[in-house]
Amino acid sequence: MGYRVGVVGVGPVGDRIIRVLRERGFPVEGELVVMATRERTEVLADEKYLVREVTEDLFEDLDVVFFAGREGARGASVQWGSVATDAGAWAIDNGSDFRMEPGYALIVPEVNMDVVGAGNRHICSPNCSTIQMVVALAPLHRAAGIRRIVVSTYQSVSGWGLGAMDEFEAQVRQYAAGEPVTHDPNIFDKPIIFDCLPRIDRFLDDGYTKEEMKMVHETRKILGEPELAITATAVRVPVMIGHSEAINVELERPLSRAEALEILRDPAQSPGVTVIDDPDSLQYPTQADCLLDEHRDAVLVGRVREDPTVEHGLNLWCVSDNLRKGAATNTVQIAEGLIARGLL
Ligand SMILES: NC(=O)c1ccc[n+]([C@@H]2O[C@H](COP(=O)([O-])OP(=O)(O)OC[C@H]3O[C@@H](n4cnc5c(N)ncnc54)[C@H](OP(=O)(O)O)[C@@H]3O)[C@@H](O)[C@H]2O)c1
């Protein structure tokens, strides 16, 4: 049996959704209905697609729609999410507009697919940094109870969309050609080449950024722990694709490095996690590693260490492809989970 599938938005996330659907053999019936703000032909995931201007009638026959458009009032899922669900489709949304709304499930399939029911026809996929962190931490939380999380992120430019990737590439070309490096202040405050920028999304009144608070609120919702202590610092780094995170956790019960590694290496306890951690042979994961075929949908974990400065503390380093597990793959896995549960 196949499903009629729509994709709204053809930036790097929309491109990866099309690629991941194909790679995983998702049962698509007929042609993918690919939509964006205006009609054109475009090469997506190495194949030519007709991109249609999004209109109400295009949703009429669809079973599932993946949203990968811009956020906000003029964004794709605010304008078209309810059109899709009213037409009878499931909406699976990469954007942040509805993630914290009551009644909207916020899903990382390895962690909380079980909360989805027939009433959740608009399902949200979390922020890329949140997804990889909860895949790595949920097994440790189940084993020893997480009391507090301190996380610092090292996030690639692709997390800010196609415009940011083009900006970074242009700066690299300018530098290589010996030309002055230009920058568009509407994308990043300063040139991203050779620098790290500790502002992702807008500043809030208390000095945190919206990205940092997404990690706080979304993690609590996914783990079902509304009071969990979490503090985050989100940093943009000059890497094209792939996010890293330095994570410090305080646990309710002691967990040694060896015990944590045993849990994280066990696919039954830690689905989606791949451990790369061997100081003796200089093995640890980096952003380049998450682009390798064998790791392309994994959350890579390494540098696991006991932290003796707090009670039952652990440090770890966590890496994943923000466009795949941090966005596209997570949404396709949600659709697969709906099929497995007989909901789609
Ligand atoms: N990049 C990441 O790492 C990441 C991770 C997790 C979640 N997300 C979220 O995923 C979404 C897509 O990210 P991206 O990086 O691919 O963004 P992007 O490069 O900005 O691309 C956005 C796409 O959405 C289309 N679009 C915008 N407004 C629309 C509307 N009202 N109706 C229909 N289409 C619309 C655009 O159409 P045109 O091409 O016609 O302009 C464009 O194709 C965003 O919500 C983002 O926050 C991104």
Side-chain angles (χ1 to χ4, degrees):
M1 181 179 168
Y3 303 91
R4 290 155 303 178
V5 177
V7 177
V8 183
V10 294
V13 174
D15 174 276
R16 297 317 187 276
I17 289 170
I18 293 169
R19 191 179 295 274
V20 171
L21 286 168
R22 195 191 301 147
E23 282 172 5
R24 295 173 77 96
F26 189 88
V28 178
E29 187 180 299
E31 298 219 332
L32 270 183
V33 179
V34 181
M35 298 169 254
T37 61
R38 57 188 170 76
E39 184 159 320
R40 73 266 193 177
T41 304
E42 198 163 312
V43 175
L44 298 164
D46 302 324
E47 283 181 15
K48 213 181 247 186
Y49 283 86
L50 171 65
V51 179
R52 311 208 211 165
E53 181 182 340
V54 60
T55 54
E56 195 163 338
D57 55 301
L58 290 176
F59 294 95
E60 269 165 20
D61 294 322
L62 298 180
D63 298 308
V64 57
V65 181
F66 294 93
F67 280 93
R70 277 267 150 214
E71 296 159 347
R74 286 169 46 222
S77 57
V78 171
Q79 285 193 291
W80 302 104
S82 60
V83 174
T85 53
D86 288 351
W90 288 82
I92 306 181
D93 188 357
N94 280 284
S96 64
D97 302 288
F98 299 100
R99 286 179 192 152
M100 295 311 300
E101 295 291 319
Y104 287 78
L106 182 62
I107 300 298
V108 178
E110 293 87 343
V111 181
N112 68 338
M113 192 67 209
D114 54 314
V115 305
V116 176
N120 303 113
R121 293 201 74 95
H122 185 142
I123 299 175
C124 301
S125 183
N127 177 268
C128 37
S129 307
T130 307
I131 292 176
Q132 68 182 70
M133 183 168 80
V134 298
V135 169
L137 292 188
L140 303 179
H141 186 48
R142 280 191 293 270
I146 291 177
R147 196 188 288 157
R148 179 168 186 253
I149 302 169
V150 181
V151 55
S152 301
T153 71
Y154 304 68
Q155 297 181 225
S156 64
V157 296
S158 60
W160 206 236
L162 193 56
M165 296 171 83
D166 290 345
E167 165 97 346
F168 181 37
E169 190 177 326
Q171 290 173 358
V172 171
R173 285 184 193 286
Q174 287 167 339
Y175 177 79
E179 296 166 4
V181 168
T182 58
H183 101 282
D184 176 355
N186 295 314
I187 297 178
F188 299 126
D189 300 327
K190 307 178 188 201
I192 185 67
I193 190 175
F194 305 131
D195 212 351
C196 298
L197 310 181
R199 175 177 85 81
I200 300 184
D201 213 327
R202 64 186 165 84
F203 279 117
L204 305 174
D205 290 345
D206 59 6
Y208 284 88
T209 62
K210 198 174 163 204
E211 182 83 356
E212 290 159 355
M213 295 317 293
K214 280 180 190 171
M215 292 190 76
V216 172
H217 298 306
E218 293 178 14
T219 301
R220 289 175 176 159
K221 181 167 176 174
I222 297 159
L223 294 179
E225 300 284 0
E227 306 298 329
L228 188 62
I230 311 174
T231 187
T233 303
V235 182
R236 187 76 66 198
V237 299
V239 169
M240 192 60 92
I241 298 172
H243 292 354
S244 289
E245 298 174 344
I247 305 173
N248 177 269
V249 287
E250 288 178 52
L251 302 162
E252 299 286 349
R253 298 175 288 284
L255 205 59
S256 67
R257 163 177 156 83
E259 289 166 330
L261 283 173
E262 194 181 329
I263 292 165
L264 292 164
R265 284 195 172 112
D266 176 5
Q269 292 187 75
S270 303
V273 173
T274 299
V275 173
I276 303 177
D277 187 315
D278 183 8
D280 291 340
S281 60
L282 308 181
Q283 295 298 306
Y284 49 82
T286 70
Q287 272 126 306
D289 293 326
C290 76
L291 306 183
L292 300 174
D293 278 352
E294 65 262 37
H295 298 319
R296 61 190 178 187
D297 290 319
V299 172
L300 307 176
V301 176
R303 304 286 332 275
V304 177
R305 288 149 287 156
E306 290 155 33
D307 173 6
T309 68
V310 291
E311 199 183 16
H312 312 324
L314 276 183
N315 282 306
L316 55 92
W317 177 252
C318 160
V319 183
S320 197
D321 182 331
N322 52 295
L323 298 175
R324 290 186 59 110
K325 182 55 193 165
T329 303
N330 199 63
T331 55
V332 175
Q333 288 172 322
I334 291 171
E336 292 169 345
L338 293 176
I339 295 172
R341 282 164 178 72
L343 291 165
L344 176 64

